[in-house]
Amino acid sequence: MRRAMRPAIVLAVFGLLVGGLFRYVFDESSAASVANYLRSALEGAALTLTAWGTHLYLTAFGGGWLRKRPLIVELIARSVIMATVVAIAAMALEVVLYGHGIEAKWIGESFPKIIGTSLLLSIPITAFYELIRMIGGRTLLNVVLGRYRRPVREQRVLLFLDLVGSTTLAETMGELRVQELLTRFFFDIDEAIVSHDGEVHAYVGDEVIVTWPVHAGQPSPRCLDCVFAIEDLLTQRADRYRREFGVVPAFRAGIHAGPVVISECGDSRRQIAYFGDTVNVTARLQQHCKEVGRALLVSGELLRLLPPADDLVIDPLGSTQLRGRAAPIEVFAVARRPAAAVQAYSS
């Protein structure tokens, strides 16, 4: 809800300005009164929020069938749907704000201008949203601002999570079918990642890398909650996976916190890259899951920074020499207490 409210406020202000500008550009000077400008501003805000609500609905409930289409088809379909909904809303607002029925003059003069403006605005807004969806909002903002043109050292929490047994699945199901499973898996778990304020850094084969910033030296426990939310989501959708793929995906995950060097790389295709020991340790933790037979391993460095949690079972595995690293690291296997998992699933 919080993530949707911020852009809604910005768009409402934008709509107020566009509504007032629309009145100034298209209406006769004789109609230029404070009351009419106020009505136009309110109408602009209402129509903008209507378009935003339509976008949220399509993303949450109607986006599945749209995302299966080519991008150009999705852009056109979203724009047309949004313009149609805005047209209906414009008719309703004309009655509510001006206290009269739909007049022929308004249909012939103002209504086409409203629809044209809505369509012209919806196309670049929809395209911008797709750009954000493709490369990530934070990544796009950082590239635009040039934040990582020079290497920057930041404290980060990193999560490396991969699909269990993808090689074996490829042998039994075929590579194309496994890729369909991976695509569905990554699509589904994105819901849990976003809702827990995680940022997808990259998809690498059957692995996803997620990151959280560390503020004032205190990482958020939402990084652990995110893993358990993914676990619950897969449990909820197990029957659908069995029907479609004959298997329910499982994962292994490693989480670590520490300094990361972040830099913008490349020219023809710019990318934000992470470097440093923290990245290597997190990758090794995730790989170590298979050796010890655990689904989630967390470093001692991260656990010491997190507040205590009574709903977790923390099993110390001792000081461990991870492959490719000279210094040992304290490793802990983390799981929820059974009652906590049952309660989370039922809620």
Side-chain angles (χ1 to χ4, degrees):
M1 179 62 71
R2 190 175 58 209
R3 298 175 70 93
M5 284 301 297
R6 285 192 292 251
I9 294 172
V10 173
L11 288 171
V13 174
F14 175 74
L16 288 170
L17 297 175
V18 171
L21 183 62
F22 184 90
R23 166 72 65 176
Y24 177 79
V25 171
F26 291 113
D27 282 7
E28 300 175 358
S29 58
S30 59
S33 65
V34 174
N36 280 339
Y37 270 103
L38 181 59
R39 290 189 186 99
S40 294
L42 290 175
E43 186 174 11
L47 293 179
T48 303
L49 291 177
T50 298
W52 175 243
T54 305
H55 159 73
L56 292 179
Y57 178 83
L58 290 174
T59 301
F61 301 104
W65 62 272
L66 279 175
R67 290 191 182 108
K68 294 177 182 178
R69 305 296 185 272
L71 180 59
I72 184 63
V73 174
E74 181 178 355
L75 289 175
I76 293 173
R78 280 179 176 271
S79 300
V80 170
I81 292 171
M82 288 173 65
T84 302
V85 173
V86 166
I88 297 172
M91 290 183 179
L93 288 168
E94 180 69 14
V95 176
V96 172
L97 293 176
Y98 295 93
H100 56 70
I102 304 300
E103 299 176 347
K105 181 180 179 181
W106 183 83
I107 291 290
E109 296 180 3
S110 298
F111 186 65
K113 296 172 184 175
I114 293 174
I115 297 305
T117 302
S118 301
L119 195 57
L120 286 175
L121 290 176
S122 66
I123 291 175
I125 290 173
T126 303
F128 183 69
Y129 165 74
E130 291 300 323
L131 180 62
I132 291 176
R133 204 180 78 185
M134 290 175 68
I135 69 173
R138 293 175 188 170
T139 300
L140 178 61
L141 179 62
N142 289 329
V143 169
V144 171
L145 297 179
R147 181 178 180 182
Y148 299 122
R149 282 292 178 91
R150 296 179 179 275
V152 176
R153 188 181 178 92
E154 293 183 0
Q155 294 291 324
R156 290 270 178 161
V157 173
L158 293 180
L159 162 66
F160 279 54
L161 182 148
D162 82 331
L163 187 70
V164 171
S166 59
T167 302
T168 303
L169 289 173
E171 293 174 353
T172 57
M173 299 172 60
E175 293 179 349
L176 290 178
R177 191 64 174 149
V178 168
Q179 187 58 49
E180 291 179 2
L181 173 62
L182 271 173
T183 300
R184 174 65 60 81
F185 174 69
F186 288 146
F187 180 88
D188 285 347
I189 69 174
D190 188 73
E191 176 183 329
I193 294 170
V194 171
S195 64
H196 288 80
D197 298 324
E199 176 187 356
V200 174
H201 170 60
Y203 298 101
V204 184
D206 62 353
E207 183 176 75
V208 60
I209 303 172
V210 186
T211 178
W212 288 262
V214 176
H215 299 293
Q218 187 70 38
S220 170
R222 293 178 71 82
C223 57
L224 290 177
D225 296 336
C226 176
V227 176
F228 299 131
I230 291 173
E231 187 178 89
D232 291 336
L233 187 144
L234 294 176
T235 300
Q236 293 169 359
R237 302 183 182 181
D239 290 340
R240 192 184 73 179
Y241 276 105
R242 288 193 189 95
R243 286 195 304 269
E244 188 167 348
F245 300 101
V247 64
V248 179
F251 63 85
R252 301 187 188 97
I255 310 181
H256 180 45
V260 176
V261 176
I262 308 175
S263 178
E264 185 177 319
C265 297
D267 186 23
S268 62
R269 184 188 183 280
R270 294 181 183 177
Q271 179 177 334
I272 304 298
Y274 288 18
F275 305 94
D277 185 62
T278 300
V279 179
N280 297 330
V281 169
T282 312
R284 298 300 183 230
L285 275 174
Q286 185 272 318
Q287 295 167 5
H288 194 59
C289 288
K290 184 176 182 180
E291 299 176 22
V292 296
R294 301 298 184 99
L296 172 61
L297 295 182
V298 179
S299 69
E301 285 91 336
L302 174 59
L303 278 184
R304 280 191 289 271
L305 296 174
L306 293 175
D310 296 333
D311 60 338
L312 298 180
V313 177
I314 300 175
D315 187 8
L317 302 184
S319 184
T320 304
Q321 187 83 39
L322 296 175
R323 183 170 59 86
R325 192 173 192 268
I329 182 174
E330 288 185 272
V331 177
F332 295 82
V334 178
R336 281 180 300 180
R337 297 190 185 280
V342 171
Q343 183 178 4
Y345 177 68
S346 60
S347 61

